[in-house]
């Protein structure tokens, strides 16, 4: 009899517990969105001369969440509530094209049917870093015209990330702009 009363009491507590509301634990963290920035391009040239093929990146960077490499150099942190507003590779291509355009080089992300004189392939090998450390951009690129390589190069640079994700994204934007200036300089 005692066991059945305890079972009924446990069942009543369990059922009433389902209807109890938990104490308010504070505001829910909202998602923040980030975007790489580029300079305002100069006046558009009528026909694009450079088509930027889809940018390749390591798999761990090809995600909507911002990735921060820890100071140990091998551990990464994926920030679930801090996200890119666009695919990271598309953002790099957009900033690269915008910066090249601001330097007088007409460039567009290559889409089916777009007529261009040459095609730029960009492979990013690293594009991360720790907060309060340096963000690193390590990339190789190739420019082809008529299916022949006319220019190629490697680019590695770093910028101080600062102490916030906003400052880290600004540093990443500056690095992509530096890459575009480096490419433009080699095309002269």
């Amino acid at each position: 009899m005692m066991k059945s009363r305890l079972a009924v009491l446990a069942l009543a507590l369990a059922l009433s517990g389902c209807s109890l509301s938990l104490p308010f634990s504070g505001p829910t963290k909202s998602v923040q969105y980030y975007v790489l920035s580029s300079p305002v391009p100069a006046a558009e040239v009528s026909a694009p001369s450079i088509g930027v093929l889809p940018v390749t990146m390591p798999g761990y960077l090809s995600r909507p969440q911002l990735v921060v490499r820890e100071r140990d150099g091998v551990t990464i942190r994926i920030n679930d509530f801090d996200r890119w507003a666009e695919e990271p590779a598309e953002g790099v291509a957009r900033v690269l094209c915008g910066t090249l355009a601001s330097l007088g080089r007409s460039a567009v992300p290559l889409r089916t049917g777009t007529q261009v004189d040459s095609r730029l392939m960009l492979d990013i090998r690293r594009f991360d870093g720790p907060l309060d450390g340096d963000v690193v951009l390590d990339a190789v690129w190739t420019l082809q015209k008529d299916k022949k390589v006319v220019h190629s190069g490697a680019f590695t640079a770093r910028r101080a990330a600062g102490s916030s994700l906003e400052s880290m994204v600004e540093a990443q934007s500056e690095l992509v702009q530096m890459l575009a200036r480096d490419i433009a300089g080699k095309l002269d």
Side-chain angles (χ1 to χ4, degrees), residues 1-14:
M1 179 83 152
M2 182 66 141
K3 286 184 181 180
S4 64
R5 285 185 184 174
L6 285 174
V8 169
L9 181 60
L11 180 62
L13 285 174

Side-chain angles (χ1 to χ4, degrees), residues 34-38 66-67 84 92 95 99 126-138 155-181:
Y34 299 84
V35 65
L36 295 170
S37 61
S38 63
L66 265 66
V67 175
W84 292 109
V92 168
V95 172
T99 306
R126 182 172 172 196
F127 192 40
D128 59 32
L131 293 177
D132 290 323
D134 286 341
V135 175
V136 175
L137 173 56
D138 180 15
F155 177 86
T156 303
R158 51 184 67 233
R159 278 280 189 250
S163 60
S164 68
L165 290 174
E166 291 86 359
S167 61
M168 184 181 89
V169 171
E170 288 173 15
Q172 288 175 306
S173 297
E174 291 173 14
L175 287 168
V176 175
Q177 293 172 34
M178 290 170 59
L179 169 63
R181 287 191 293 272

Side-chain angles (χ1 to χ4, degrees), residues 147-161:
K147 299 184 180 182
K148 294 180 183 165
V149 174
V150 291
H151 294 286
S152 63
F155 177 86
T156 303
R158 51 184 67 233
R159 278 280 189 250

Side-chain angles (χ1 to χ4, degrees), residues 34-105:
Y34 299 84
V35 65
L36 295 170
S37 61
S38 63
V40 177
E44 291 290 322
V45 179
S46 57
S49 61
I50 300 172
V52 178
L53 291 165
V55 174
T56 60
M57 303 179 88
Y60 75 95
L61 292 174
S62 297
R63 62 180 61 247
Q65 301 92 345
L66 265 66
V67 175
V68 176
R69 185 180 293 254
E70 299 295 346
R71 289 192 170 278
D72 64 12
V74 295
T75 308
I76 61 169
R77 180 171 33 100
I78 298 171
N79 297 316
D80 287 327
F81 293 99
D82 299 296
R83 297 177 178 243
W84 292 109
E86 62 189 331
E87 291 291 324
E90 290 175 9
V92 168
R94 179 183 50 76
V95 172
L96 187 71
C97 290
T99 306
L100 287 170
S102 74
L103 299 169
R105 301 276 184 179

